[in-house]
Amino acid sequence: MGLRERLPQDLHDAMRARDVTRRETIRLLQAAIKNAEIERRGPLDEMDIVALVQKQINQRRESVEQFRKGGRTDLAEREEAEMAVLEQYLPPQMSLEDVAEAARAVIATVGAQGPKEKGKVMGPLMADLRGRADGRLINEVVTELLGG
């Protein structure tokens, strides 16, 4: 079952369980999907929805950082709870070793030789690992492998 079919069922289950955080997070995700489809003027495929979920998680991660800096632990905890709900809609995430292995393969393929050629690696690698690994992790691994 794809995400598009799973979300309404999960929303229904959250409503039955009176799980407010899960219910509201799913509703926000459905609204984000609908807005993206309106903007695109067409339906999103499964990978586009996964990318949108990842974007929502990243936004919440940044919010958590800001709320913690501002001393608003209550809001930070709410954002973290929403992140936990959203992470259930991502495919299994790759380990650090798997990301490094994929990065080495792309580096060998494009022949990158140093930090200045990071862009050559990041494009194909991000496309290949889309939705399966966090962009920050990929960036850190590539930077380390290229000696940057």
Side-chain angles (χ1 to χ4, degrees), residues 94-136:
M94 295 177 69
S95 69
L96 177 65
E97 296 80 27
D98 293 338
V99 172
E101 185 179 315
R104 284 187 198 96
V106 172
I107 289 170
T109 302
V110 299
Q113 297 277 326
K116 291 184 178 181
E117 296 181 332
K118 184 176 175 181
K120 286 182 181 179
V121 177
M122 288 299 291
L125 189 59
M126 289 295 288
D128 186 39
L129 303 184
R130 184 176 169 193
R132 297 184 297 151
D134 183 52
R136 290 181 187 179

Side-chain angles (χ1 to χ4, degrees), residues 1-65:
M1 175 186 326
L3 282 177
R4 187 176 304 283
E5 297 82 24
R6 186 174 157 200
L7 286 171
Q9 181 62 43
D10 287 355
L11 177 61
H12 183 71
D13 293 344
M15 289 168 56
R16 278 188 157 163
R18 299 186 195 282
D19 186 344
V20 176
T21 302
R22 187 170 178 76
R23 180 190 72 206
E24 295 306 313
T25 304
I26 293 171
R27 283 182 175 165
L28 288 170
L29 179 57
Q30 287 178 318
I33 292 170
K34 185 159 186 80
N35 288 338
E37 288 177 336
I38 290 169
E39 189 175 307
R40 178 186 261 193
R41 295 188 176 150
L44 299 177
D45 65 15
E46 191 74 14
M47 287 310 296
D48 291 331
I49 294 174
V50 168
L52 188 70
V53 171
Q54 188 68 49
K55 182 179 176 185
Q56 294 285 314
I57 290 171
N58 289 338
Q59 287 174 348
R60 282 167 178 78
R61 187 173 291 129
E62 291 170 7
S63 295
V64 166
E65 291 173 18

Side-chain angles (χ1 to χ4, degrees), residues 61-81:
R61 187 173 291 129
E62 291 170 7
S63 295
V64 166
E65 291 173 18
Q66 294 302 317
F67 288 143
R68 293 228 185 271
K69 286 180 186 175
R72 296 296 308 266
T73 56
D74 56 327
L75 295 176
E77 289 170 359
R78 188 181 80 199
E79 294 288 318
E80 287 171 339

